[in-house]
Amino acid sequence: MSEYILYFVSFAFLHLRMHHQLIYVFLSLSSPVVSQNLVTDNVSVVEGEMAIISCRVKDNDDSVIQLLNPNRQTIYFRDMRPLKDARFQLVNFSENELRVSLSNVSLSDEGRYVCQLYTDPPQEAYADITVLIPPGNPIIEARDEVLSEGNETEMTCTAMSSKPAATIRWMKGDKELPGKPRVELTYDKMYTVTSRLTFTVSKEDDGVPVVCIVDHPAVKDFQAQKYLEVQYKPEVKIVVEFPQGLTREGENLELTCKAKGKPQPQRVSWVKVDDDVPSHAVITGADLYIENLNKSYNGTYRCMASNAVGESFDDYILYVYDTPPSTEPAAHVLLSIHIEFAFALLSDSRAGEGAPRTVDHAVIGGVVAVVVFAMLCLLIVLGRYFARHKGTYFTHEAKGADDAADADTAIINAEGGHTNSDEKKEYYI
């Protein structure tokens, strides 16, 4: 009896299974259509990470949803997983959605996955999984380790084994430079990109980083850099240490030659253009010292510095001025002393602490001349003023002589005659 029961159950199960397969074959033979009622999304995932595939139905009439792999093998039928791949896991199942995760994605998982809705005809939507493989660490190489200014150099940057192909950019300091890329497809369907950069260096490029930047959807801020080492000829500049103003006869002259280069210049020399340096001039390293200047020392003095890259120079043109006159008219000696003292105080107050307290005698002489001229003008004006307003000269010698008959009588009758001469008074302004 038990054997009959077991036979009946086996027959019923086989019949049900065959019926299900017949339904599946019938639906498969019908041409599937792409419907807006069933939707899904494309997925991009980095190798080794997790991808999520979602099949969504807007209006479901209790039809069955299933997910197929690129080989059209059923991954999930409703909430059941016929495919024996434990990396696929059910995330959510409802009447309107079937959501499945795929962990530890590899390049072999790439392809078109099918969301299928069991209707007549079947409805399908397609989700393309793209596997991203980041490149290895970029490798930057330079043709020259040490450069000289004005020379051309070449650098290469390589990003290996990526999918899709990476993009390489170049930066020198804060300026972007164009490179020439070359893309190679390897046997394992990977891409290797090599970018070549050619440029000319200057002394300002010494110590500047050149950066290779790799752009790829799987990575961010992927870069490598190399610092430039540029040698350049010296930069030469002559600095006047003394005097601070005009160079005059009898004074001293001190010049310093400042030279900077890479490598640092080891030799600095002084020459006089088209002539010899004065015999009593003292040259100590980069310093030139000449005492007791005179006009025969006029000319161009040149400082030259050199290193392994080249030679440079700077010129100083010496012109010796006359010494200002030191004697002044005796009538203005006292005034000159006071003016010189006043200008000395003014110079000290303006120069500040540590400034040389010297007075230019030519300026003092000019001030004295202006003062003398002003005094002469004042005397002329005063003279003309008094000439116009001079006093009257009074005398009483002829008073009373107007009525006299003759000269003798006039003298006798005049007030203040000779007899009264002691009482006569004269006024003069």
Side-chain angles (χ1 to χ4, degrees):
M1 184 65 179
S2 60
E3 294 179 356
Y4 287 105
I5 295 174
L6 181 61
Y7 175 78
F8 178 76
V9 171
S10 300
F11 178 79
F13 179 77
L14 181 60
H15 183 270
L16 179 63
R17 184 176 180 182
M18 291 179 63
H19 180 69
H20 172 71
Q21 289 181 349
L22 287 173
I23 294 174
Y24 177 75
V25 170
F26 173 75
L27 293 176
S28 298
L29 290 175
S30 302
S31 299
V33 296
V34 178
S35 173
Q36 295 181 354
N37 189 41
L38 181 64
V39 294
T40 187
D41 302 306
N42 294 330
V43 180
S44 293
V45 58
V46 178
E47 185 182 33
E49 297 184 0
M50 178 182 291
I52 301 294
I53 306 172
S54 176
C55 302
R56 300 181 299 278
V57 182
K58 295 181 180 180
D59 298 315
N60 194 357
D61 54 357
D62 296 331
S63 299
V64 177
I65 307 175
Q66 73 170 354
L67 177 64
L68 310 177
N69 66 9
N71 297 324
R72 298 194 71 87
Q73 296 173 331
T74 301
I75 300 173
Y76 265 91
F77 180 83
R78 296 177 61 89
D79 57 350
M80 295 180 294
R81 178 168 55 84
L83 189 66
K84 295 181 179 180
D85 189 343
R87 295 182 305 150
F88 290 97
Q89 294 294 325
L90 184 65
V91 178
N92 181 50
F93 172 73
S94 66
E95 293 182 356
N96 297 318
E97 183 184 30
L98 173 63
R99 190 189 311 167
V100 178
S101 66
L102 172 60
S103 60
N104 194 20
V105 176
S106 65
L107 187 59
S108 61
D109 297 321
E110 191 174 64
R112 171 166 288 188
Y113 290 73
V114 182
C115 293
Q116 193 174 73
L117 185 63
Y118 269 84
T119 58
D120 186 16
Q123 300 179 33
E124 291 185 353
Y126 306 104
D128 292 326
I129 290 184
T130 302
V131 180
L132 307 176
I133 300 178
N137 292 328
I139 302 172
I140 186 171
E141 296 177 335
R143 185 183 64 188
D144 307 297
E145 294 297 328
V146 180
L147 301 162
S148 297
E149 63 173 334
N151 289 352
E152 186 179 78
T153 188
E154 183 179 278
M155 288 187 175
T156 58
C157 182
T158 304
M160 302 178 62
S161 301
S162 68
K163 180 181 176 299
T167 302
I168 296 178
R169 295 182 292 119
W170 290 95
M171 296 291 293
K172 186 183 73 171
D174 56 356
K175 182 180 180 181
E176 185 169 353
L177 300 179
K180 296 180 179 180
R182 180 169 57 89
V183 181
E184 296 179 0
L185 180 61
T186 60
Y187 68 94
D188 53 354
K189 298 181 180 180
M190 297 294 180
Y191 294 91
T192 296
V193 181
T194 302
S195 180
R196 192 177 306 276
L197 176 67
T198 304
F199 61 98
T200 302
V201 297
S202 64
K203 61 184 178 182
E204 289 79 12
D205 293 329
D206 183 46
V208 174
V210 177
V211 184
C212 161
I213 304 172
V214 177
D215 296 325
H216 191 272
V219 292
K220 293 181 179 180
D221 299 328
F222 215 31
Q223 61 184 31
Q225 66 180 12
K226 192 174 186 64
Y227 288 89
L228 295 173
E229 184 176 352
V230 182
Q231 294 184 342
Y232 52 92
K233 62 183 181 180
E235 298 174 334
V236 183
K237 182 180 180 181
I238 297 176
V239 178
V240 181
E241 302 290 349
F242 185 84
Q244 298 298 325
L246 300 177
T247 52
R248 298 187 179 278
E249 285 188 312
E251 294 182 346
N252 301 330
L253 175 66
E254 183 178 355
L255 304 176
T256 298
C257 181
K258 297 185 180 295
K260 177 185 176 183
K262 188 173 182 178
Q264 187 66 21
Q266 300 296 324
R267 181 174 175 270
V268 177
S269 59
W270 285 93
V271 297
K272 186 178 180 183
V273 179
D274 299 331
D275 201 352
D276 295 331
V277 177
S279 58
H280 70 283
V282 178
I283 299 177
T284 307
D287 297 332
L288 172 64
Y289 185 77
I290 305 177
E291 293 182 337
N292 195 19
L293 294 174
N294 61 60
K295 291 185 177 295
S296 64
Y297 299 156
N298 289 348
T300 301
Y301 292 79
R302 175 172 295 175
C303 170
M304 297 185 299
S306 60
N307 59 11
V309 180
E311 183 180 71
S312 301
F313 65 88
D314 190 24
D315 290 339
Y316 172 78
I317 300 176
L318 173 62
Y319 183 82
V320 180
Y321 291 84
D322 294 330
T323 303
S326 58
T327 59
E328 298 171 359
H332 305 297
V333 170
L334 183 59
L335 179 61
S336 175
I337 292 175
H338 284 291
I339 293 176
E340 181 175 352
F341 178 72
F343 269 88
L345 292 178
L346 181 60
S347 175
D348 289 346
S349 64
R350 291 182 178 178
E353 186 177 355
R357 301 185 176 183
T358 58
V359 179
D360 196 329
H361 292 278
V363 176
I364 295 175
V367 173
V368 171
V370 172
V371 172
V372 171
F373 178 76
M375 293 177 64
L376 291 175
C377 293
L378 181 61
L379 290 176
I380 293 172
V381 171
L382 289 176
R384 295 191 62 181
Y385 176 81
F386 284 116
R388 292 181 180 181
H389 299 81
K390 64 180 179 179
T392 304
Y393 184 85
F394 294 100
T395 178
H396 299 281
E397 292 183 2
K399 190 174 181 181
D402 293 337
D403 299 332
D406 51 28
D408 293 335
T409 306
I411 294 174
I412 295 172
N413 293 337
E415 272 184 35
H418 292 287
T419 57
N420 299 324
S421 61
D422 292 338
E423 297 179 357
K424 183 178 68 172
K425 295 182 181 179
E426 296 179 357
Y427 300 91
Y428 176 77
I429 297 178

Short mmCIF file of all heavy atoms in Angstrom, two decimals, residues 14-66:
data_model
loop_
_atom_site.label_atom_id
_atom_site.label_comp_id
_atom_site.label_asym_id
_atom_site.label_seq_id
_atom_site.Cartn_x
_atom_site.Cartn_y
_atom_site.Cartn_z
N LEU A 14 6.08 14.96 -10.56
CA LEU A 14 6.64 15.01 -11.91
C LEU A 14 5.69 15.71 -12.87
O LEU A 14 6.11 16.51 -13.71
CB LEU A 14 6.93 13.59 -12.39
CG LEU A 14 7.56 13.46 -13.79
CD1 LEU A 14 8.89 14.17 -13.83
CD2 LEU A 14 7.71 11.98 -14.16
N HIS A 15 4.43 15.46 -12.69
CA HIS A 15 3.44 16.10 -13.55
C HIS A 15 3.40 17.60 -13.32
O HIS A 15 3.35 18.39 -14.28
CB HIS A 15 2.06 15.48 -13.27
CG HIS A 15 0.99 16.04 -14.17
ND1 HIS A 15 0.23 17.16 -13.84
CD2 HIS A 15 0.56 15.66 -15.41
CE1 HIS A 15 -0.60 17.43 -14.81
NE2 HIS A 15 -0.42 16.51 -15.79
N LEU A 16 3.50 18.01 -12.05
CA LEU A 16 3.49 19.45 -11.75
C LEU A 16 4.74 20.12 -12.28
O LEU A 16 4.70 21.23 -12.83
CB LEU A 16 3.37 19.64 -10.22
CG LEU A 16 3.37 21.08 -9.72
CD1 LEU A 16 2.14 21.82 -10.27
CD2 LEU A 16 3.35 21.11 -8.19
N ARG A 17 5.86 19.44 -12.18
CA ARG A 17 7.12 20.02 -12.67
C ARG A 17 7.08 20.17 -14.18
O ARG A 17 7.51 21.18 -14.73
CB ARG A 17 8.29 19.13 -12.24
CG ARG A 17 9.64 19.70 -12.62
CD ARG A 17 10.75 18.83 -12.08
NE ARG A 17 12.05 19.37 -12.46
CZ ARG A 17 13.21 18.78 -12.15
NH1 ARG A 17 13.20 17.65 -11.44
NH2 ARG A 17 14.33 19.31 -12.55
N MET A 18 6.56 19.14 -14.85
CA MET A 18 6.48 19.22 -16.31
C MET A 18 5.51 20.33 -16.73
O MET A 18 5.77 21.03 -17.71
CB MET A 18 5.99 17.87 -16.88
CG MET A 18 7.02 16.76 -16.73
SD MET A 18 6.41 15.18 -17.37
CE MET A 18 6.18 15.61 -19.09
N HIS A 19 4.46 20.51 -15.95
CA HIS A 19 3.50 21.57 -16.26
C HIS A 19 4.16 22.95 -16.12
O HIS A 19 3.96 23.83 -16.98
CB HIS A 19 2.29 21.44 -15.33
CG HIS A 19 1.26 22.50 -15.57
ND1 HIS A 19 0.49 22.55 -16.72
CD2 HIS A 19 0.89 23.58 -14.81
CE1 HIS A 19 -0.32 23.58 -16.68
NE2 HIS A 19 -0.10 24.23 -15.52
N HIS A 20 4.94 23.11 -15.07
CA HIS A 20 5.64 24.40 -14.89
C HIS A 20 6.63 24.65 -16.02
O HIS A 20 6.74 25.78 -16.54
CB HIS A 20 6.36 24.38 -13.53
CG HIS A 20 7.25 25.56 -13.32
ND1 HIS A 20 6.78 26.84 -13.10
CD2 HIS A 20 8.61 25.66 -13.33
CE1 HIS A 20 7.78 27.68 -12.96
NE2 HIS A 20 8.91 26.98 -13.10
N GLN A 21 7.37 23.60 -16.42
CA GLN A 21 8.34 23.77 -17.50
C GLN A 21 7.62 24.11 -18.81
O GLN A 21 8.13 24.90 -19.61
CB GLN A 21 9.15 22.50 -17.65
CG GLN A 21 10.14 22.29 -16.50
CD GLN A 21 10.96 21.03 -16.70
OE1 GLN A 21 10.66 20.21 -17.58
NE2 GLN A 21 11.99 20.86 -15.87
N LEU A 22 6.44 23.50 -19.01
CA LEU A 22 5.70 23.81 -20.23
C LEU A 22 5.26 25.27 -20.26
O LEU A 22 5.34 25.95 -21.30
CB LEU A 22 4.47 22.89 -20.34
CG LEU A 22 4.78 21.45 -20.71
CD1 LEU A 22 3.49 20.62 -20.62
CD2 LEU A 22 5.38 21.36 -22.10
N ILE A 23 4.85 25.79 -19.08
CA ILE A 23 4.47 27.20 -19.01
C ILE A 23 5.68 28.09 -19.30
O ILE A 23 5.59 29.06 -20.06
CB ILE A 23 3.87 27.53 -17.63
CG1 ILE A 23 2.54 26.77 -17.45
CG2 ILE A 23 3.67 29.01 -17.45
CD1 ILE A 23 1.95 26.92 -16.06
N TYR A 24 6.82 27.72 -18.73
CA TYR A 24 8.04 28.52 -18.93
C TYR A 24 8.46 28.52 -20.40
O TYR A 24 8.81 29.54 -20.98
CB TYR A 24 9.17 27.98 -18.05
CG TYR A 24 10.47 28.68 -18.24
CD1 TYR A 24 10.68 29.97 -17.71
CD2 TYR A 24 11.49 28.09 -18.98
CE1 TYR A 24 11.87 30.62 -17.92
CE2 TYR A 24 12.68 28.74 -19.17
CZ TYR A 24 12.87 30.00 -18.64
OH TYR A 24 14.05 30.64 -18.83
N VAL A 25 8.37 27.30 -21.02
CA VAL A 25 8.74 27.20 -22.44
C VAL A 25 7.78 28.01 -23.28
O VAL A 25 8.18 28.71 -24.23
CB VAL A 25 8.75 25.72 -22.88
CG1 VAL A 25 8.88 25.61 -24.40
CG2 VAL A 25 9.87 24.97 -22.19
N PHE A 26 6.51 27.99 -22.94
CA PHE A 26 5.53 28.74 -23.70
C PHE A 26 5.80 30.24 -23.62
O PHE A 26 5.76 30.95 -24.63
CB PHE A 26 4.13 28.42 -23.16
CG PHE A 26 3.06 29.27 -23.77
CD1 PHE A 26 2.60 29.05 -25.07
CD2 PHE A 26 2.49 30.33 -23.04
CE1 PHE A 26 1.62 29.84 -25.62
CE2 PHE A 26 1.52 31.11 -23.60
CZ PHE A 26 1.07 30.88 -24.88
N LEU A 27 6.09 30.69 -22.41
CA LEU A 27 6.37 32.13 -22.24
C LEU A 27 7.67 32.50 -22.92
O LEU A 27 7.83 33.61 -23.43
CB LEU A 27 6.41 32.49 -20.75
CG LEU A 27 5.06 32.37 -20.02
CD1 LEU A 27 5.25 32.66 -18.53
CD2 LEU A 27 4.03 33.32 -20.62
N SER A 28 8.64 31.57 -22.92
CA SER A 28 9.93 31.88 -23.53
C SER A 28 9.80 31.95 -25.04
O SER A 28 10.52 32.68 -25.71
CB SER A 28 10.97 30.82 -23.13
OG SER A 28 11.15 30.83 -21.73
N LEU A 29 8.89 31.12 -25.59
CA LEU A 29 8.73 31.15 -27.04
C LEU A 29 8.08 32.44 -27.51
O LEU A 29 8.26 32.86 -28.65
CB LEU A 29 7.89 29.94 -27.48
CG LEU A 29 8.58 28.58 -27.37
CD1 LEU A 29 7.59 27.47 -27.72
CD2 LEU A 29 9.81 28.53 -28.26
N SER A 30 7.30 33.08 -26.62
CA SER A 30 6.69 34.35 -26.98
C SER A 30 7.76 35.43 -27.02
O SER A 30 8.67 35.45 -26.18
CB SER A 30 5.61 34.72 -25.96
OG SER A 30 4.62 33.70 -25.91
N SER A 31 7.72 36.33 -27.97
CA SER A 31 8.72 37.38 -28.10
C SER A 31 8.57 38.39 -26.97
O SER A 31 7.48 38.99 -26.81
CB SER A 31 8.57 38.09 -29.45
OG SER A 31 8.76 37.17 -30.49
N PRO A 32 9.64 38.58 -26.16
CA PRO A 32 9.55 39.55 -25.07
C PRO A 32 9.53 40.97 -25.63
O PRO A 32 10.06 41.25 -26.71
CB PRO A 32 10.81 39.29 -24.26
CG PRO A 32 11.77 38.70 -25.23
CD PRO A 32 10.95 37.92 -26.21
N VAL A 33 8.90 41.85 -24.90
CA VAL A 33 8.83 43.26 -25.30
C VAL A 33 9.40 44.11 -24.17
O VAL A 33 9.37 43.74 -23.00
CB VAL A 33 7.37 43.68 -25.59
CG1 VAL A 33 6.82 42.92 -26.77
CG2 VAL A 33 6.49 43.49 -24.36
N VAL A 34 9.95 45.25 -24.59
CA VAL A 34 10.45 46.23 -23.62
C VAL A 34 9.31 47.15 -23.25
O VAL A 34 8.72 47.80 -24.12
CB VAL A 34 11.64 47.03 -24.20
CG1 VAL A 34 12.10 48.06 -23.19
CG2 VAL A 34 12.77 46.09 -24.58
N SER A 35 8.97 47.15 -21.99
CA SER A 35 7.81 47.92 -21.55
C SER A 35 8.23 48.99 -20.56
O SER A 35 9.17 48.79 -19.77
CB SER A 35 6.79 46.98 -20.90
OG SER A 35 5.72 47.73 -20.32
N GLN A 36 7.54 50.13 -20.60
CA GLN A 36 7.78 51.19 -19.64
C GLN A 36 7.22 50.84 -18.26
O GLN A 36 7.51 51.52 -17.29
CB GLN A 36 7.17 52.50 -20.13
CG GLN A 36 7.82 53.03 -21.40
CD GLN A 36 7.22 54.34 -21.83
OE1 GLN A 36 6.24 54.81 -21.25
NE2 GLN A 36 7.80 54.94 -22.87
N ASN A 37 6.48 49.75 -18.20
CA ASN A 37 5.92 49.32 -16.92
C ASN A 37 6.99 48.66 -16.05
O ASN A 37 6.90 48.67 -14.83
CB ASN A 37 4.77 48.34 -17.16
CG ASN A 37 4.02 48.03 -15.88
OD1 ASN A 37 3.76 48.92 -15.07
ND2 ASN A 37 3.66 46.76 -15.69
N LEU A 38 8.02 48.09 -16.69
CA LEU A 38 9.12 47.43 -15.99
C LEU A 38 10.40 48.23 -16.21
O LEU A 38 10.81 48.44 -17.36
CB LEU A 38 9.30 46.00 -16.51
CG LEU A 38 10.41 45.16 -15.87
CD1 LEU A 38 10.11 44.94 -14.38
CD2 LEU A 38 10.53 43.82 -16.60
N VAL A 39 11.04 48.68 -15.14
CA VAL A 39 12.21 49.56 -15.26
C VAL A 39 13.34 49.03 -14.39
O VAL A 39 13.11 48.32 -13.39
CB VAL A 39 11.87 51.01 -14.85
CG1 VAL A 39 10.90 51.63 -15.82
CG2 VAL A 39 11.34 51.07 -13.42
N THR A 40 14.57 49.40 -14.79
CA THR A 40 15.78 49.08 -14.02
C THR A 40 16.84 50.12 -14.34
O THR A 40 16.58 51.06 -15.11
CB THR A 40 16.28 47.67 -14.35
OG1 THR A 40 17.36 47.34 -13.47
CG2 THR A 40 16.75 47.58 -15.80
N ASP A 41 18.04 49.99 -13.76
CA ASP A 41 19.11 50.99 -13.93
C ASP A 41 20.42 50.29 -14.26
O ASP A 41 20.69 49.17 -13.79
CB ASP A 41 19.29 51.82 -12.65
CG ASP A 41 18.00 52.52 -12.24
OD1 ASP A 41 17.44 53.24 -13.08
OD2 ASP A 41 17.57 52.34 -11.08
N ASN A 42 21.23 50.98 -15.06
CA ASN A 42 22.59 50.51 -15.30
C ASN A 42 23.43 50.72 -14.04
O ASN A 42 23.20 51.64 -13.26
CB ASN A 42 23.22 51.25 -16.47
CG ASN A 42 22.53 50.93 -17.79
OD1 ASN A 42 21.99 49.83 -17.97
ND2 ASN A 42 22.52 51.89 -18.71
N VAL A 43 24.45 49.89 -13.90
CA VAL A 43 25.27 49.91 -12.68
C VAL A 43 26.75 49.93 -13.07
O VAL A 43 27.17 49.14 -13.92
CB VAL A 43 24.98 48.69 -11.78
CG1 VAL A 43 25.85 48.73 -10.53
CG2 VAL A 43 23.51 48.63 -11.42
N SER A 44 27.50 50.85 -12.44
CA SER A 44 28.96 50.86 -12.57
C SER A 44 29.53 50.57 -11.19
O SER A 44 29.18 51.22 -10.20
CB SER A 44 29.47 52.22 -13.07
OG SER A 44 29.05 52.45 -14.40
N VAL A 45 30.44 49.61 -11.11
CA VAL A 45 30.96 49.16 -9.82
C VAL A 45 32.45 48.87 -9.96
O VAL A 45 32.90 48.34 -10.99
CB VAL A 45 30.19 47.91 -9.33
CG1 VAL A 45 30.28 46.78 -10.32
CG2 VAL A 45 30.69 47.47 -7.96
N VAL A 46 33.19 49.22 -8.92
CA VAL A 46 34.62 48.97 -8.91
C VAL A 46 34.86 47.50 -8.58
O VAL A 46 34.16 46.89 -7.75
CB VAL A 46 35.32 49.87 -7.87
CG1 VAL A 46 36.82 49.57 -7.81
CG2 VAL A 46 35.09 51.33 -8.21
N GLU A 47 35.82 46.91 -9.24
CA GLU A 47 36.13 45.49 -9.03
C GLU A 47 36.37 45.22 -7.55
O GLU A 47 37.10 45.95 -6.87
CB GLU A 47 37.37 45.11 -9.83
CG GLU A 47 37.70 43.63 -9.77
CD GLU A 47 38.95 43.29 -10.54
OE1 GLU A 47 39.86 44.15 -10.61
OE2 GLU A 47 39.03 42.18 -11.11
N GLY A 48 35.69 44.16 -7.07
CA GLY A 48 35.81 43.78 -5.67
C GLY A 48 34.75 44.37 -4.78
O GLY A 48 34.63 43.95 -3.61
N GLU A 49 33.99 45.32 -5.26
CA GLU A 49 32.93 45.92 -4.46
C GLU A 49 31.58 45.28 -4.78
O GLU A 49 31.51 44.25 -5.46
CB GLU A 49 32.91 47.43 -4.68
CG GLU A 49 34.18 48.12 -4.23
CD GLU A 49 34.11 49.63 -4.35
OE1 GLU A 49 33.07 50.15 -4.79
OE2 GLU A 49 35.12 50.29 -4.01
N MET A 50 30.47 45.87 -4.28
CA MET A 50 29.14 45.28 -4.41
C MET A 50 28.30 46.06 -5.40
O MET A 50 28.33 47.29 -5.42
CB MET A 50 28.44 45.26 -3.05
CG MET A 50 27.02 44.70 -3.09
SD MET A 50 26.22 44.75 -1.47
CE MET A 50 27.16 43.52 -0.59
N ALA A 51 27.51 45.32 -6.20
CA ALA A 51 26.57 45.92 -7.15
C ALA A 51 25.15 45.59 -6.71
O ALA A 51 24.88 44.48 -6.20
CB ALA A 51 26.83 45.41 -8.55
N ILE A 52 24.23 46.52 -6.92
CA ILE A 52 22.82 46.33 -6.60
C ILE A 52 22.02 46.41 -7.90
O ILE A 52 22.12 47.40 -8.64
CB ILE A 52 22.31 47.40 -5.61
CG1 ILE A 52 23.12 47.35 -4.31
CG2 ILE A 52 20.83 47.21 -5.33
CD1 ILE A 52 22.94 46.07 -3.52
N ILE A 53 21.21 45.35 -8.16
CA ILE A 53 20.36 45.31 -9.34
C ILE A 53 18.91 45.38 -8.86
O ILE A 53 18.49 44.56 -8.01
CB ILE A 53 20.58 44.03 -10.16
CG1 ILE A 53 22.07 43.88 -10.49
CG2 ILE A 53 19.75 44.06 -11.44
CD1 ILE A 53 22.40 42.54 -11.12
N SER A 54 18.15 46.33 -9.40
CA SER A 54 16.77 46.54 -8.97
C SER A 54 15.83 46.44 -10.17
O SER A 54 16.01 47.15 -11.16
CB SER A 54 16.62 47.90 -8.30
OG SER A 54 15.26 48.16 -7.97
N CYS A 55 14.84 45.52 -10.06
CA CYS A 55 13.79 45.39 -11.07
C CYS A 55 12.49 45.92 -10.46
O CYS A 55 12.00 45.38 -9.45
CB CYS A 55 13.59 43.93 -11.47
SG CYS A 55 15.09 43.14 -12.13
N ARG A 56 11.90 46.96 -11.07
CA ARG A 56 10.74 47.63 -10.49
C ARG A 56 9.57 47.60 -11.47
O ARG A 56 9.75 47.83 -12.67
CB ARG A 56 11.09 49.07 -10.12
CG ARG A 56 12.22 49.16 -9.11
CD ARG A 56 12.53 50.61 -8.75
NE ARG A 56 12.96 51.39 -9.91
CZ ARG A 56 14.18 51.40 -10.39
NH1 ARG A 56 15.13 50.63 -9.83
NH2 ARG A 56 14.48 52.15 -11.43
N VAL A 57 8.36 47.34 -10.92
CA VAL A 57 7.14 47.29 -11.71
C VAL A 57 6.24 48.42 -11.26
O VAL A 57 5.96 48.54 -10.05
CB VAL A 57 6.41 45.93 -11.56
CG1 VAL A 57 5.16 45.90 -12.43
CG2 VAL A 57 7.35 44.78 -11.91
N LYS A 58 5.78 49.23 -12.20
CA LYS A 58 4.90 50.35 -11.85
C LYS A 58 3.49 49.84 -11.51
O LYS A 58 2.94 50.21 -10.46
CB LYS A 58 4.86 51.35 -12.99
CG LYS A 58 6.20 52.04 -13.26
CD LYS A 58 6.08 53.04 -14.39
CE LYS A 58 7.41 53.71 -14.67
NZ LYS A 58 7.33 54.69 -15.78
N ASP A 59 2.91 49.03 -12.39
CA ASP A 59 1.55 48.49 -12.18
C ASP A 59 1.62 46.98 -12.36
O ASP A 59 1.71 46.47 -13.48
CB ASP A 59 0.56 49.10 -13.18
CG ASP A 59 0.43 50.60 -13.02
OD1 ASP A 59 0.33 51.06 -11.87
OD2 ASP A 59 0.44 51.30 -14.06
N ASN A 60 1.59 46.26 -11.23
CA ASN A 60 1.72 44.80 -11.28
C ASN A 60 0.33 44.15 -11.13
O ASN A 60 -0.46 44.53 -10.27
CB ASN A 60 2.65 44.33 -10.16
CG ASN A 60 3.08 42.89 -10.37
OD1 ASN A 60 2.65 42.23 -11.33
ND2 ASN A 60 3.95 42.40 -9.50
N ASP A 61 0.08 43.18 -11.99
CA ASP A 61 -1.19 42.44 -11.94
C ASP A 61 -0.95 41.02 -11.42
O ASP A 61 -1.47 40.04 -11.96
CB ASP A 61 -1.82 42.40 -13.32
CG ASP A 61 -0.87 41.84 -14.36
OD1 ASP A 61 0.29 41.55 -13.98
OD2 ASP A 61 -1.29 41.68 -15.52
N ASP A 62 -0.10 40.93 -10.38
CA ASP A 62 0.27 39.65 -9.76
C ASP A 62 1.12 38.78 -10.67
O ASP A 62 1.20 37.56 -10.49
CB ASP A 62 -0.97 38.86 -9.32
CG ASP A 62 -1.74 39.58 -8.23
OD1 ASP A 62 -1.07 40.32 -7.46
OD2 ASP A 62 -2.96 39.41 -8.15
N SER A 63 1.77 39.41 -11.68
CA SER A 63 2.68 38.66 -12.53
C SER A 63 3.99 38.41 -11.79
O SER A 63 4.39 39.16 -10.89
CB SER A 63 2.95 39.43 -13.82
OG SER A 63 1.74 39.62 -14.54
N VAL A 64 4.70 37.37 -12.20
CA VAL A 64 5.94 36.96 -11.53
C VAL A 64 7.11 37.76 -12.09
O VAL A 64 7.22 37.95 -13.31
CB VAL A 64 6.17 35.44 -11.73
CG1 VAL A 64 7.49 35.03 -11.10
CG2 VAL A 64 5.02 34.64 -11.15
N ILE A 65 8.00 38.23 -11.19
CA ILE A 65 9.23 38.93 -11.58
C ILE A 65 10.39 37.98 -11.40
O ILE A 65 10.49 37.28 -10.37
CB ILE A 65 9.47 40.18 -10.72
CG1 ILE A 65 8.23 41.09 -10.72
CG2 ILE A 65 10.69 40.94 -11.20
CD1 ILE A 65 8.34 42.28 -9.79
N GLN A 66 11.32 37.97 -12.37
CA GLN A 66 12.53 37.18 -12.22
C GLN A 66 13.72 37.95 -12.80
O GLN A 66 13.56 38.85 -13.63
CB GLN A 66 12.40 35.81 -12.88
CG GLN A 66 12.43 35.82 -14.39
CD GLN A 66 12.54 34.43 -14.96
OE1 GLN A 66 12.72 33.44 -14.24
NE2 GLN A 66 12.43 34.31 -16.28
#
